[in-house]
Amino acid sequence: QVQLVESGGGLVQAGGSLRLSCAASGRTFSSYAMGWFRQAPGKEREFVATISRSGSRTYYADSVKGRFPISRDNANNTVYLQLNTLKPEDTAVYYCAATLRVYGLNAGEYDYWGQGIQVTVSA
């Protein structure tokens, strides 16, 4: 079992930045590939980024590529999502998730989820 807790969300103006953190507890963090997803009101949950167990491989949704780098610190059981050049359309609840797969691009491939954290970008 893995418990995931997100932090770092909030309200920011367009063009600003935030850094989301996801702290993991439970089984060995480095056994899991990690991902970030987001869900805007009235929309389905969508993939944002994923990082492999060692951190050597990352994949991004086209909408965030070049703006939202994902990283992880296996020594501190934490995965990060740096949100740069934020746009109003980035407003959503952001979720981190863990998978035993090599990596995951779809929500159904993830085994554990955090509770989510709100990011609101004002115009």
Side-chain angles (χ1 to χ4, degrees):
Q1 194 80 352
V2 176
Q3 293 79 43
L4 303 172
V5 179
E6 301 98 337
S7 62
L11 173 64
V12 64
Q13 289 187 331
S17 298
L18 286 172
R19 188 175 81 156
L20 304 184
S21 300
C22 174
S25 60
R27 294 179 63 181
T28 306
F29 178 68
S30 59
S31 298
Y32 294 87
M34 300 297 295
W36 286 94
F37 290 75
R38 66 186 182 185
Q39 187 166 17
K43 295 187 177 181
E44 293 187 354
R45 192 169 299 189
E46 65 172 357
F47 167 76
V48 175
T50 185
I51 187 167
S52 62
R53 297 166 193 162
S54 67
S56 61
R57 286 184 286 178
T58 57
Y59 300 91
Y60 297 93
D62 288 342
S63 59
V64 307
K65 198 172 297 182
R67 296 192 298 129
F68 291 6
I70 188 173
S71 61
R72 66 189 295 161
D73 180 350
N74 284 346
N76 290 300
N77 290 2
T78 304
V79 61
Y80 303 97
L81 187 69
Q82 178 68 41
L83 311 181
N84 297 321
T85 320
L86 281 159
K87 305 174 182 179
E89 53 264 41
D90 294 319
T91 295
V93 176
Y94 283 71
Y95 298 88
C96 75
T99 178
L100 287 170
R101 296 172 181 261
V102 174
Y103 63 88
L105 303 181
N106 300 298
E109 295 174 319
Y110 285 80
D111 305 297
Y112 302 101
W113 291 84
Q115 80 287 353
I117 193 160
Q118 179 70 46
V119 171
T120 302
V121 184
S122 62

